[in-house]
């Protein structure tokens, strides 16, 4: 995944600068503005939030929102834990891990209704028959279900960590690689890699369909700002609904963010990503964009992670929702 560095020079006395560096976002007048940090740098994965800002949906909901992307030294989870932001996007498995680690969270809006993880292998090899294979996995984590699958299905993969690109797989150094269907998988297709039903393993088709992206706040902040949180969530939902109805204009908005932060991507890639992210938001059962956390998927993720010693206890659905 890509990270961006943004330096802002402000000519203020050193004492004032020091005071601002040490100040929590939840103190003083900053409490009136929700600081929102998506997991990554600008891309179509977060299109609905950019739309909500660009089309004035936050303003219409009566909530002030500042979108601050993460950096190499301040990733989203670090910003949330250090109260440098009030809300961030997390996968369900990530949220369970954080709650188990002692930081209660509240899911205020669920956007993903399906799992996006895909293992792809070279040639026509079936990932399900490649026991002990060298499989690439993100250094930053996010592969909880893949690790569970490797253990549960007796695959015993040898996990090889990579930072942010597909080069190890393309060069032949890996037997297979873990990808997101809206990101690395698309990059591989653009790189000319051919896939078929034999060398692609979609977790959502094999009993591991656990939701991913949703917006989370610490329970401490949510309990003090419930009305603000609900208005923020409603505006974000409106942004995603608008994006689904206006994909071309949404792409224009996404590309403005991409260009502003000088991200090394292109409009074709972002269009493919937006299409896939919107597809993943449609629940398989209802065929609708539900924007809700599913209790059965939380239970599945919690059980798998607990059984494979990723959690010290099982986390319930009720622990992740606001009262």
């Amino acid at each position: 995944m890509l990270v961006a560095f943004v330096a802002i020079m402000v000519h203020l006395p050193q004492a004032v600068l020091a005071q601002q560096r040490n100040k929590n976002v939840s103190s003083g007048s900053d409490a009136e503005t929700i600081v929102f940090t998506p997991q990554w740098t600008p891309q179509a994965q977060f299109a609905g939030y950019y739309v909500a800002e660009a089309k004035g949906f936050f303003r219409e909901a009566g909530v002030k929102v500042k979108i601050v992307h993460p950096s190499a030294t301040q990733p989203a989870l670090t910003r949330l834990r250090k109260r440098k932001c009030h809300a961030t996007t997390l996968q369900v498995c990530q949220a369970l891990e954080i709650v188990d680690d002692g930081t209660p969270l509240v899911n205020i809006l669920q956007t993903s209704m399906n799992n996006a993880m895909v293992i792809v292998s070279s040639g026509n090899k079936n990932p399900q028959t490649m026991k002990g294979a060298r499989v690439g996995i993100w250094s930053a984590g996010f592969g909880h279900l893949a690790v569970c699958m490797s253990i549960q299905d007796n695959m015993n993969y040898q996990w090889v960590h990579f930072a942010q690109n597909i080069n190890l797989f393309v060069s032949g150094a890996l037997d297979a690689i873990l990808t997101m269907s809206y990101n690395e998988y698309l990059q591989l297709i653009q790189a000319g890699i051919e896939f078929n039903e034999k060398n692609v393993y979609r977790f959502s088709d094999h009993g591991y369909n656990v939701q991913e992206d949703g917006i989370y706040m610490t329970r401490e902040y949510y309990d003090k700002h419930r009305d603000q949180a609900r208005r923020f969530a409603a505006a974000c939902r409106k942004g995603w609904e608008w994006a689904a109805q206006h994909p071309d204009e949404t792409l224009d908005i996404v590309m403005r963010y991409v260009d502003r932060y000088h991200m090394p991507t292109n409009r074709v890639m972002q269009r493919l990503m937006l299409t896939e992210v919107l597809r993943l938001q449609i629940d398989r059962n209802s065929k609708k964009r539900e924007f809700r956390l599913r209790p059965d998927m939380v239970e599945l993720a919690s059980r798998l992670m607990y059984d494979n010693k990723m959690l010290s206890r099982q986390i319930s659905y009720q622990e992740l929702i606001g009262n």
Side-chain angles (χ1 to χ4, degrees):
M1 305 297 178
L2 300 177
V3 292
F5 297 89
V6 181
I8 302 175
M9 299 302 295
V10 181
H11 299 289
L12 290 174
Q14 290 301 312
V16 175
L17 287 173
Q19 183 180 18
Q20 289 188 343
R21 282 195 296 266
N22 295 327
K23 184 170 62 174
N24 268 341
V25 293
S26 58
S27 64
S29 61
D30 289 334
E32 299 174 4
T33 300
I34 291 179
V35 178
F36 171 53
T37 298
Q39 292 120 304
W40 312 119
T41 48
Q43 58 184 17
Q45 181 182 359
F46 313 117
Y49 313 123
Y50 304 151
V51 167
E53 181 179 62
K55 304 302 291 185
F57 298 155
F58 292 138
R59 183 177 63 254
E60 291 174 4
V63 61
K64 296 179 182 178
V65 178
K66 183 178 181 181
I67 300 176
V68 180
H69 288 88
S71 70
T73 56
Q74 287 289 324
L77 293 185
T78 298
R79 288 181 56 81
L80 185 70
R81 284 175 168 142
K82 292 186 175 181
R83 290 168 174 74
K84 299 294 184 181
C85 70
H86 303 113
T88 189
T89 50
L90 297 171
Q91 296 180 6
V92 169
C93 289
Q94 285 179 288
L96 295 178
E97 188 175 53
I98 294 169
V99 171
D100 185 57
D101 196 40
T103 303
L105 298 175
V106 175
N107 177 300
I108 64 170
L109 181 72
Q110 183 65 32
T111 55
S112 159
M113 296 302 293
N114 299 283
N115 194 273
M117 286 200 309
V118 183
I119 292 180
V120 297
S121 60
S122 57
N124 288 320
K125 297 176 183 177
N126 185 338
Q128 289 181 286
T129 65
M130 300 171 63
K131 290 189 176 182
R134 289 168 55 83
V135 182
I137 190 171
W138 304 286
S139 299
F142 315 108
H144 304 81
L145 285 182
V147 175
C148 288
M149 181 275 274
S150 178
I151 298 171
Q152 297 281 122
D153 297 355
N154 297 312
M155 295 307 301
N156 300 316
Y157 288 142
Q158 299 177 51
W159 298 110
V160 179
H161 292 87
F162 68 94
Q164 62 183 36
N165 58 47
I166 58 176
N167 291 348
L168 281 176
F169 179 75
V170 173
S171 68
L174 299 173
D175 301 312
I177 187 172
L178 184 63
T179 71
M180 289 296 185
S181 64
Y182 55 80
N183 198 347
E184 296 88 0
Y185 181 73
L186 298 175
Q187 293 177 35
L188 288 169
I189 292 176
Q190 284 196 318
I193 306 296
E194 295 184 3
F195 297 122
N196 54 53
E197 60 183 17
K198 292 183 180 179
N199 60 3
V200 172
Y201 177 98
R202 295 182 182 275
F203 283 74
S204 59
D205 294 338
H206 294 275
Y208 298 98
N209 193 23
V210 172
Q211 292 168 291
E212 293 180 333
D213 287 5
I215 303 179
Y216 290 82
M217 290 179 167
T218 63
R219 183 164 291 277
E220 177 186 15
Y221 183 82
Y222 173 81
D223 285 343
K224 295 177 181 178
H225 305 85
R226 294 192 180 207
D227 181 62
Q228 187 184 29
R230 289 165 181 164
R231 285 184 279 120
F232 169 58
C236 289
R237 173 172 178 165
K238 187 174 180 179
W240 279 113
E241 291 172 335
W242 193 94
Q245 295 297 318
H246 306 85
D248 289 334
E249 190 173 345
T250 295
L251 190 60
D252 292 338
I253 294 171
V254 169
M255 293 310 297
R256 287 202 292 270
Y257 274 85
V258 166
D259 292 342
R260 186 186 310 169
Y261 286 86
H262 309 290
M263 304 307 301
T265 185
N266 57 67
R267 191 179 182 90
V268 173
M269 176 62 187
Q270 293 306 310
R271 182 183 294 278
L272 291 171
M273 181 182 288
L274 177 62
T275 299
E276 177 64 2
V277 167
L278 291 173
R279 184 189 72 83
L280 292 167
Q281 291 181 354
I282 299 176
D283 185 80
R284 288 185 169 189
N285 297 335
S286 68
K287 311 300 181 185
K288 296 179 181 179
R289 194 167 274 107
E290 296 188 4
F291 297 101
R292 72 179 180 95
L293 192 62
R294 283 182 44 166
D296 59 325
M297 292 194 184
V298 174
E299 180 182 356
L300 173 61
S302 181
R303 176 174 55 80
L304 286 170
M305 292 177 70
Y306 177 74
D307 288 347
N308 290 286
K309 304 186 186 325
M310 295 179 181
L311 298 176
S312 64
R313 65 182 180 87
Q314 293 199 44
I315 311 298
S316 70
Y317 164 79
Q318 292 296 329
E319 291 181 71
L320 295 180
I321 60 172
N323 298 322

